[in-house]
Amino acid sequence: MQSPIYLDYNASTPVDPRVLEAMAPYFSDAFGNPSSIDHQHGARAAEAVENARTVIAETIAVRPEEIIFTSGATESDNLALIGVMEANEDRGDHLITCRTEHPAVLETATYLKKRGKQVTLLDVDRTGRVDPEAVQKAITPKTVLISIMAANNEIGTLAPIAEIGRIAHERGIYFHTDATQAVGRTEMDAQKLRIDLMSFSSHKVYGPKGVGALYVRRRQPFVRLTPLIHGGGHERGLRSGTMNTSGIVGFGKALQICKQERKSEQRRLTQLGNTLVQQLLGKIPGAELNGHPTERLRHCINLFLPGVENKALIVALKDKLSFSAGSACATSKVEPSHVLLSLGYPEERSYNSIRISIGRFTTEEDVARASEELVLAVQGLRANFTRA
Ligand SMILES: *Cc1c(COP(=O)(O)O)cnc(C)c1O
């Protein structure tokens, strides 16, 4: 039997074969500890890590020493929020973020609140956008950090990052962005966008799971932060523990490929994504796109299908298509999507919405088949529902 067509690239991406090939030597010949640079084994691993760091830094227009390797974007978000709030208690205790953030940010903000920090959770509009004016208004003399995601993982809405960066910069407040869905897909230039800290992850850009990075600005301003993990003082003391050499090499290769292919790939995915949206909206009565009509990642399609329970649709199509009922993290719980609720929709809409995200290995044929299968399955479920 053919395996289902994968339509969940926002949850995770397959490792590109070129990435796997680049990683292979670091499991065998070049297995040395990159911190043991007194001998050739260690030195070879250290060189590979530093090469990857340079490539990764270049993709977001920062310097290599501003990149801290972590286990993924969840850890990067934790390190950014907790690390900055803890290290800057002399500056204040106030954090500004928003309701549609990934749980890695939202739950960390909740934790900080329990530890006595002040947290402002900004609302978003119907399209999922934060108003820069609202960010401006939320700032107090005690505000230390603003954290707003670059692109939403459930609906793909792009935030006005440049404007928020400018506001933060003018007020002398640190600006962190969870750019896990944006890096490798759109241009993320930390200088132009005036970003001070940025979280991103390897497994969302065709690299291996379990490795990510936090960019921390070291000049104008130098961002102070405390570590979460203490030990041998790796990564400038901000993230102790033996480095994941093969993972980091894979992450570097993965972003290098994304950078080389970004423009043509973005065009291709925009076209495929737009085709899919047109077909689904055209053939499924009542269907609506959740999120922003234009200011969004075009490969991410979040659709409201009135009268169709998303879990039932996923089960009906499980041998043919792999897609999501929202975010990956919410699917084990039967809870409405916090993102769709934040857009001001009733709970019902969340149970009737699906997320389809396409990527590098999605073909035109896949899109045609996916839309055909979805249309048929929706018709089937609606017919059953009417009969019952
Ligand atoms: C996937 C994702 C994360 C979590 O990344 P991990 O590397 O899996 O920890 C955080 N934020 C966003 C926006 C994501 O899409």
Side-chain angles (χ1 to χ4, degrees):
M1 204 186 71
Q2 230 182 343
S3 68
I5 298 172
Y6 187 71
L7 301 169
D8 204 9
Y9 279 81
N10 277 22
S12 196
T13 57
V15 173
D16 189 292
R18 292 167 287 182
V19 169
L20 197 57
E21 193 188 319
M23 290 171 70
Y26 298 92
F27 290 105
S28 50
D29 303 352
F31 66 88
N33 187 326
S35 302
S36 309
I37 49 171
D38 291 339
H39 51 64
Q40 283 192 25
H41 284 85
R44 189 171 162 201
E47 193 189 336
V49 165
E50 295 318 312
N51 286 341
R53 197 191 302 277
T54 302
V55 168
I56 291 168
E58 277 169 3
T59 63
I60 58 166
V62 304
R63 287 173 300 142
E65 60 271 29
E66 295 176 311
I67 297 291
I68 309 289
F69 288 116
T70 65
S71 64
T74 299
E75 186 188 330
S76 300
D77 286 337
N78 273 262
L79 177 57
L81 268 62
I82 298 171
V84 167
M85 294 309 289
E86 265 191 6
N88 294 277
E89 281 171 346
D90 55 332
R91 290 168 62 125
D93 62 357
H94 183 220
L95 164 72
I96 299 173
T97 182
C98 89
R99 293 192 188 281
T100 52
E101 292 290 319
H102 189 276
V105 167
L106 283 180
E107 294 298 320
T108 305
T110 302
Y111 165 81
L112 285 165
K113 208 167 163 180
K114 281 190 204 138
R115 307 279 298 198
K117 304 294 182 204
Q118 308 299 315
V119 178
T120 299
L121 273 187
L122 295 172
D123 289 324
V124 295
D125 66 15
R126 267 287 157 140
T127 70
R129 285 207 123 196
V130 173
D131 181 1
E133 191 88 352
V135 175
Q136 177 87 269
K137 281 194 186 129
I139 294 171
T140 75
K142 297 266 190 178
T143 307
V144 174
L145 179 66
I146 297 169
S147 180
I148 301 290
M149 74 199 312
N152 187 273
N153 50 303
E154 290 191 33
I155 53 177
T157 298
L158 299 166
I161 288 298
E163 281 167 88
I164 298 168
R166 187 179 46 76
I167 291 166
H169 190 77
E170 274 170 16
R171 304 288 293 262
I173 295 161
Y174 294 143
F175 176 38
H176 167 252
T177 186
D178 178 342
T180 312
Q181 296 290 346
V183 166
R185 300 197 163 95
T186 62
E187 195 193 1
M188 287 300 296
D189 182 319
Q191 302 315 320
K192 276 193 216 157
L193 300 169
R194 302 201 179 170
I195 296 164
D196 299 312
L197 302 108
M198 180 172 359
S199 302
F200 49 109
S201 182
S202 158
H203 77 101
K204 304 280 174 83
V205 294
Y206 310 93
K209 291 172 182 61
V211 58
L214 178 67
Y215 148 67
V216 184
R217 185 186 288 276
R218 296 195 76 186
R219 226 195 259 158
Q220 295 178 324
F222 177 94
V223 178
R224 276 185 291 165
L225 74 170
T226 55
L228 299 177
I229 296 172
H230 305 268
H234 307 73
E235 299 296 269
R236 295 168 33 216
L238 285 171
R239 211 287 190 169
S240 287
T242 302
M243 311 194 68
N244 175 2
T245 313
S246 57
I248 290 167
V249 167
F251 190 12
K253 183 70 185 178
L255 275 179
Q256 187 184 33
I257 296 169
C258 286
K259 192 180 178 198
Q260 279 163 1
E261 301 181 351
R262 202 189 75 226
K263 290 209 173 105
S264 60
E265 183 63 357
Q266 210 174 2
R267 258 197 309 275
R268 193 183 76 90
L269 288 180
T270 298
Q271 215 163 46
L272 286 184
N274 289 350
T275 303
L276 195 49
V277 170
Q278 275 162 17
Q279 290 182 352
L280 295 175
L281 292 184
K283 291 182 187 158
I284 301 175
E288 285 174 28
L289 189 68
N290 293 317
H292 201 285
T294 54
E295 289 298 306
R296 65 181 180 88
L297 298 170
R298 296 305 176 108
H299 72 274
C300 172
I301 297 152
N302 196 306
L303 274 187
F304 169 46
L305 306 169
V308 179
E309 207 213 321
N310 53 16
K311 300 274 176 175
L313 187 63
I314 289 171
V315 170
L317 286 167
K318 73 177 186 337
D319 294 331
K320 293 172 175 161
L321 309 175
S322 295
F323 60 98
S324 151
S327 68
C329 316
T331 44
S332 56
K333 308 177 235 162
V334 188
E335 273 174 22
S337 147
H338 75 283
V339 175
L340 294 185
L341 290 182
S342 302
L343 304 191
Y345 290 124
E347 264 189 35
E348 193 60 23
R349 180 146 174 148
S350 161
Y351 297 121
N352 289 175
S353 291
I354 59 166
R355 180 187 71 185
I356 295 166
S357 43
I358 58 174
R360 184 174 293 166
F361 304 104
T362 310
T363 63
E364 236 170 89
E365 201 176 69
D366 290 339
V367 164
R369 250 186 61 210
S371 84
E372 215 169 278
E373 297 288 359
L374 278 162
V375 170
L376 282 175
V378 166
Q379 283 168 354
L381 285 174
R382 280 180 172 168
N384 280 340
F385 185 73
T386 326
R387 242 177 274 132

